[in-house]
Each structure stands twice: as C-alpha cells, then as structure tokens.
Amino acid sequence: MRRSSAETKAVILAAARERFAADGYDKATIRAIAADARIDPAMVMRYFGTKEKLFAAAAEFDLELPELAPDQAGAGLVRHFLRKWEADEGLQVLLRTGVTNEAAAERMRTIFGGQVMPLVIGLTGDPERAPLRASLVASQLLGLALSRYILKFPPMVAATEEELIAWLSPTVQRYLTE
C-alpha cells in the first residue's frame, strides 16, 4: 500500500508519540519508531532530519486554552489543565522528558510561552510583567502535573479535581490579577 507524503508523516508522528510515551526520549530510537510505523528508518530521517526534530514535531500541542472570565481565571485554568493532563498522555511524556532533556525542556518552554503568555497579557493587560506571571502560573500547573501524574504522590493522585482546584486556584488567580 502506497501512502502520500502527508499520510507517511502522520504515521511516523503517531508512532513517535507512542514510542516516546512508552520509552521516554532517551530510550526511544529512530529504528524502533520506524519499525512501529512499518517504514524504513531512512524515511524517518528524510522527513524529520534528527531525533530532536522528530520529537519537537511529535510534541506539538495546542493547549486549547479557554476564554476565561478575569475573576474566575485561576479556577478555570487549573480545571482546564487537570483535564488536559488527564486526556493527553503526550503532555505527560513531554514533562517527564523535559526534566532531563534540554530539547524537550525548550519545547515545553515554547509551548507554554507561546500559548500561556498571550492569555496572561489578555487577562492582566500587563505585558511588562507577563513573562514572570506566566512563569509563576506554569510553576503551579507543571508542579501539579509532576506530582500527580509523573511522581504520583498518593495524596495528589487521590485528590479530586474539585479539591485540587480549591487548593490551587487562589494562588493562580493571584498571579493573574494582583
């Protein structure tokens, strides 16, 4: 069966996401990803050039940030990210990998900077302090994800969505409005 270029890239990216999720960045290999995609490893290199570029393409995420009322932004953002982390294992892989791999960390910074920063500017009207505010918001959301989904601290895993929102949203709200 012959695939179009777009179909081939999509199959490679799907295989890469699964392999990175299963093995992590360091243990995933181009050969294994190619085998999963049932394609020659040279084709993976042809389309993506390097493992780092393949990872960056596989780790492309739209955080799908909702429009938030300023007075409910903290709760809305915490709720949104809890649901996003639950639904998208790829974000967990990116976080896990970003702790030890600079390319993955840069990808995470790019995603959060490019998508959270405009939200913060829109809510605060403060472009000068937006980078710090967005970084503080990210520290809460990434810390939540790390402790709940990666390190699996039992109290964090056991907590309900509403409990976590109640605990975290006042802090996130403060970063967004004060």
Side-chain angles (χ1 to χ4, degrees):
M1 181 173 107
R2 197 152 164 87
R3 296 183 195 131
S4 71
S5 176
E7 291 170 328
T8 300
K9 283 180 87 168
V11 168
I12 293 168
L13 286 172
R17 285 184 186 107
E18 288 187 26
R19 180 59 60 177
F20 287 129
D23 296 349
Y25 178 85
D26 290 330
K27 292 182 182 174
T29 66
I30 294 293
R31 285 188 185 281
I33 292 165
D36 294 344
R38 294 188 169 98
I39 196 166
D40 188 285
M43 292 298 289
V44 176
M45 299 307 288
R46 176 178 167 221
Y47 283 106
F48 297 98
T50 66
K51 181 177 168 182
E52 290 79 15
K53 289 179 182 175
L54 174 60
F55 182 81
E60 184 63 43
F61 294 100
D62 180 355
L63 297 176
E64 300 170 346
L65 296 172
E67 287 196 29
L68 300 166
D71 64 330
Q72 294 296 311
L77 209 50
V78 174
R79 178 176 287 107
H80 176 75
F81 270 93
L82 279 167
R83 291 177 180 172
K84 193 74 172 158
W85 290 109
E86 290 282 341
D88 195 339
E89 188 177 299
L91 279 172
Q92 294 177 33
V93 171
L94 185 57
L95 177 59
R96 185 180 309 113
T97 306
V99 172
T100 59
N101 179 277
E102 181 54 33
E106 178 57 31
R107 190 79 204 111
M108 185 69 89
R109 287 190 293 269
T110 299
I111 290 168
F112 270 75
Q115 296 181 46
V116 175
M117 183 87 69
L119 175 80
V120 171
I121 291 170
L123 286 168
T124 65
D126 181 9
E128 185 177 314
R129 294 185 62 197
L132 178 57
R133 288 176 183 269
S135 294
L136 289 167
V137 168
S139 75
Q140 295 300 305
L141 300 175
L142 296 175
L144 167 62
L146 183 68
S147 61
R148 184 173 172 96
Y149 303 110
I150 308 300
L151 300 175
K152 299 182 191 255
F153 291 166
M156 293 297 284
V157 172
T160 68
E161 179 180 288
E162 291 307 314
E163 287 174 314
L164 293 170
I165 291 167
W167 278 101
L168 292 170
S169 64
T171 300
V172 173
Q173 184 70 30
R174 186 170 58 85
Y175 296 152
L176 295 172
T177 58
E178 289 181 17

